[in-house]
Amino acid sequence: MDILTIITVLILLCTAFSFLNEKFIKLPGTIGVMAVSLVVSILILVAGKSHSGISATVTLMARSINFSKVLLDVMLGFLLFASAIHFDYKKLKMLRLPIFILSTIGVLISTGIFGGLLYLVTLFINLPIPAIYCFIFGALISPTDPIAVSSILKKSKIPARLNIIISGESLFNDAVGLILFVTLLGIVHESGTTTVTSTIKLFAQEVIGGIVIGAIVGYLGYRLIRSIRDFQTIVLISISMILCISLIAGKFHASVPLAAVTAGLLIGNLNFGVGHPANEHLNQVWQLLDEVLNTILFVMIGLQLIMMSFLNNYWLVGSLSIVILLFARLVTVTLPAMFVLRKVNFNNLTILTWAGLRGGISVAMALSLPNSPYRETILSATYFIVIFSILVQGLTLNKVVAMLVKNDANKNKN
């Protein structure tokens, strides 16, 4: 299938799914779109991937898209820039300690707990997965997904402070997860030759390189935008920035997510001057782009189910992985609160746990795994977690928040 046909079919599906959701289903935007997409994928699977009509076209399109490459190399920079450009740096700075802890130490703790428990559980159910692959799985699933988080938190009733912590954590923790993922894969393929020195070098290259590239491109973009007032050119400059970031960061093996977030924070928080059109309208354009790209991404996540006919063989591992990940997330947010922040609010910890959503980035990393006897198990379990995270946690998040807030109010009255 040629590129024009793929884009046309994908946009038509996004439009149709979005219309069906808005007209009849009325679930929150991206959640509803993904739900419709999943239903369509399941119908195609039940029909045996029919080679006639719409089913054949959708199946062929799903097979033609390299989801991992499209998301990680193309869409990710745009989505993260769009999220970061709306973020208030002053609020981020006020809560930098919990955000830093959760996005670094938190990912390490979650990876360790998830990998260790999964290894023990798979031994117990007689479906053993080597420990190193359990930790690889932990590395790709532990970081919260900034795209899923931002799309769902927009309409949530989470207290402002927790909203900033969750959003900030999701913007920065991907770099740590990716480094862990790459390092652990290196141990598997290089028979343990990965060293502490090479890991530190990789960290510096990914993290520091990403921040530097994002800061340079972001500042140059800011200076260019500030010097003109033609809004069409301003928008083109902002789009060119993301394309340059993806290209340069890819060439130097730096973190595209961190570079895009850094540039987005700069553009979103620097002042362009009194009456400058970018101050009012640039955020609005990127908000629209964010919503459109989120819709496309969630449709693509749903359609990936067509490629995973083996899901039914791994439902037990997938279901147990959901429970293990929720437990790991709870421990991850509790330990820093107890030993570093020395503040334990169980309602806040519950919200932080339930709002730790996983999404397309985890699926993309799982799809990038090289062939091994355990690839399909990890990929299927990842998909179970992502579906549960977006549909169940995403749909019930406001109810959980409302219940906890009500409990707090009742306690204060008593």
Side-chain angles (χ1 to χ4, degrees), residues 97-99 101-102 161 165 333-344 352:
L97 180 59
I99 290 172
I101 292 170
L102 287 176
R161 180 184 175 87
I165 291 173
V333 298
T334 301
L335 289 180
M338 290 176 60
F339 297 106
V340 180
L341 303 179
R342 300 187 184 281
K343 294 179 181 179
V344 177
L352 285 170

Side-chain angles (χ1 to χ4, degrees), residues 51-114:
H51 292 290
S52 61
I54 296 175
S55 294
T57 303
V58 174
T59 302
L60 182 59
M61 186 205 67
R63 290 185 178 279
S64 301
I65 297 174
N66 185 333
F67 179 82
S68 182
K69 188 172 182 61
V70 169
L71 176 56
L72 296 177
D73 293 351
V74 181
M75 294 180 69
L76 186 58
F78 286 93
L79 288 162
L80 290 178
F81 180 85
S83 297
I85 200 173
H86 306 303
F87 214 97
D88 189 336
Y89 177 73
K90 292 180 181 177
K91 294 178 180 178
L92 181 69
K93 189 176 179 180
M94 287 173 57
L95 296 168
R96 61 187 180 275
L97 180 59
I99 290 172
F100 174 77
I101 292 170
L102 287 176
S103 61
T104 54
I105 298 171
V107 175
L108 297 172
I109 293 172
S110 178
T111 300
I113 292 173
F114 180 88

Side-chain angles (χ1 to χ4, degrees), residues 264-386:
L265 287 172
L266 278 173
I267 295 296
N269 288 275
L270 290 174
N271 195 300
F272 292 98
V274 179
H276 197 285
N279 286 331
E280 293 183 18
H281 305 302
L282 191 59
N283 276 1
Q284 295 173 2
V285 169
W286 275 98
Q287 184 174 354
L288 176 62
L289 286 173
D290 187 27
E291 291 173 358
V292 171
L293 289 173
N294 266 299
T295 300
I296 294 172
L297 173 62
F298 277 67
V299 167
M300 289 169 64
I301 292 174
L303 293 177
Q304 284 300 302
L305 185 62
I306 296 173
M307 308 293 294
M308 300 182 187
S309 58
F310 47 81
L311 277 172
N312 58 338
N313 297 323
Y314 300 105
W315 66 269
L316 180 58
V317 175
S319 301
L320 291 172
S321 295
I322 293 170
V323 177
I324 294 170
L325 184 61
L326 287 173
F327 175 75
R329 174 69 179 175
L330 178 61
V331 175
T332 297
V333 298
T334 301
L335 289 180
M338 290 176 60
F339 297 106
V340 180
L341 303 179
R342 300 187 184 281
K343 294 179 181 179
V344 177
N345 182 311
F346 291 105
N347 286 345
N348 287 349
L349 295 178
T350 302
I351 293 172
L352 285 170
T353 299
W354 201 245
L357 306 176
R358 274 70 181 182
I361 294 176
S362 292
V363 175
M365 282 196 283
L367 284 167
S368 71
L369 285 168
N371 288 328
S372 76
Y374 313 102
R375 182 180 186 273
E376 290 190 354
T377 307
I378 294 173
L379 184 54
S380 296
T382 300
Y383 214 72
F384 271 91
I385 290 170
V386 169

